[in-house]
Amino acid sequence: MTFIRKTLAAAAACTATLACAAPIKVGLMLPATGTYSALGQAIENGFKLYVAEQGGKIGGREIEYVKVDDESDPSKATDNVNKLIKRDHVDVIVGTVHSGVAMAMAKAAKDSGTLLIVPNAGAEAITGPMCAPNIFRSSFSNWQPGYAMGEVAAKKGYRKVVTITWKYAAGDESVAGFKEAFEKNGGQVVKELTLPFPGVEFQALLTDIAATKPDAVYSFFAGGGAVKFVKDYAAAGLNKTVPLLGAFITDGTLEAQGAAAAGVLTTLHYADGLNTPRDKAFRLAYAKTYKLQPDVYAVQGYDAAQILAIGAKATAGDLSKTAAFAAAVEKARIDSPRGPFTLSKSHNPVQDIYLRQVVGAENQAIGIASKALADPSRGCRQ
Ligand code: PHB
């Protein structure tokens, strides 16, 4: 079938039922305030860019947005997600950034059967014990970038590493992934430093690192907290003596971090300078629309919309057909700006993890740390 005939067929199938005549209600549950607010905005931008590229319609239906600011606060997460499910009766929830909030969202989605697409939060439970036919992730599991960096650090010959992160699921799991690969390859994590999310009192911990004199430091922070961490690390002079490794610590933050971030090595599923036609087209469209450069969060939002579109097309816009939606997404090759990826049976991306180095205001790709890395999805039975 030609593209036009296919589109017409989908539209005809959809208008045949009443539900399909109405717009798809998308519940965007993202942080609009706090240390992760810029991440939430980038995700929303990316999502809306893909929808705009489809002429504003997904599966033949218009899109209507309902928004909730989750404040990256797990204690409010169940109430917040239930506003979308029970009050607004959304067709699909897209969210969120923070792993603790996302776990509450996954529970509510699983209990109610509401379609959920997670455009960032890496909590392993979501594609582990809580995996479900109606839950998908367009981003990563916390294990993935951590594991990839553990291998890189061992290959670089580092033997003793100190880790530092916020004490919650994302930090714990990122460090555990790093440690698993690093220690399997002969390294040793000699100290695991933490502080409560979203704290930025790094001084005493940096003093501890200086006294411990490890070969390198592995860290997970993001957003506003990452800006301050990388600046404080440099201000303490540690960037001259102890190489800083991480995941997310330089994403969407480089302008604010300036010279403090120079040379930092990170592993992630997106990078600057990929230089593929797909990524170049995406970056140009994003820059034109938002007068901003995209980052990994924007890509994850864009790909959340792609996942929705693939499932919606297969169900002619009827998102309540969970099995057909899932079957289509499970066999899709998603044409992401990061490079094509597929979803595992647990619905987590199987994807290349790039090794990146900060040069100027860019996380430049300097290689592939781990090819087609799949999360182990421990505990997922589907
Ligand atoms: C998370 O809480 O899972 C999380 C938050 C910010 C990131 C990555 C992961 O950049």
Side-chain angles (χ1 to χ4, degrees), residues 2-180:
T2 64
F3 174 73
I4 292 177
R5 281 179 57 205
K6 268 192 206 159
T7 311
L8 287 177
C14 194
T15 45
T17 64
L18 243 189
C20 290
I24 294 178
K25 253 194 186 187
V26 176
L28 289 179
M29 183 158 154
L30 293 165
T33 50
T35 200
Y36 287 160
S37 61
L39 288 60
Q41 187 62 58
I43 289 167
E44 182 175 339
N45 289 349
F47 191 94
K48 289 184 170 172
L49 177 61
Y50 185 78
V51 172
E53 288 176 355
Q54 311 314 304
K57 284 192 173 182
I58 297 287
R61 299 171 65 184
E62 302 280 345
I63 300 289
E64 178 187 323
Y65 295 99
V66 189
K67 294 193 346 181
V68 168
D69 173 9
D70 67 46
E71 304 169 53
S72 296
D73 185 344
S75 75
K76 298 180 184 164
T78 301
D79 283 351
N80 278 331
V81 73
N82 279 328
K83 284 182 199 157
L84 295 174
I85 296 172
K86 296 186 178 154
R87 181 193 67 190
D88 301 326
H89 303 286
V90 299
D91 299 298
V92 53
I93 302 168
V94 176
T96 189
V97 171
H98 184 287
S99 273
V101 177
M103 282 192 276
M105 295 171 73
K107 174 155 194 334
K110 202 172 161 123
D111 291 350
S112 64
T114 312
L115 183 59
L116 169 65
I117 305 175
V118 179
N120 184 70
E124 285 165 19
I126 294 170
T127 53
M130 301 173 84
C131 74
N134 59 315
I135 299 177
F136 301 85
R137 180 149 57 195
S138 65
S139 50
F140 59 92
S141 77
N142 292 317
W143 178 93
Q144 284 177 309
Y147 189 88
M149 185 52 93
E151 290 188 333
V152 168
K155 265 194 211 122
K156 285 182 114 22
Y158 300 142
R159 283 297 165 263
K160 294 197 181 311
V161 164
V162 171
T163 63
I164 178 166
T165 189
W166 281 315
K167 182 83 202 129
Y168 82 104
D172 291 345
E173 293 173 0
S174 181
V175 164
F178 174 85
K179 189 171 171 173
E180 183 184 329

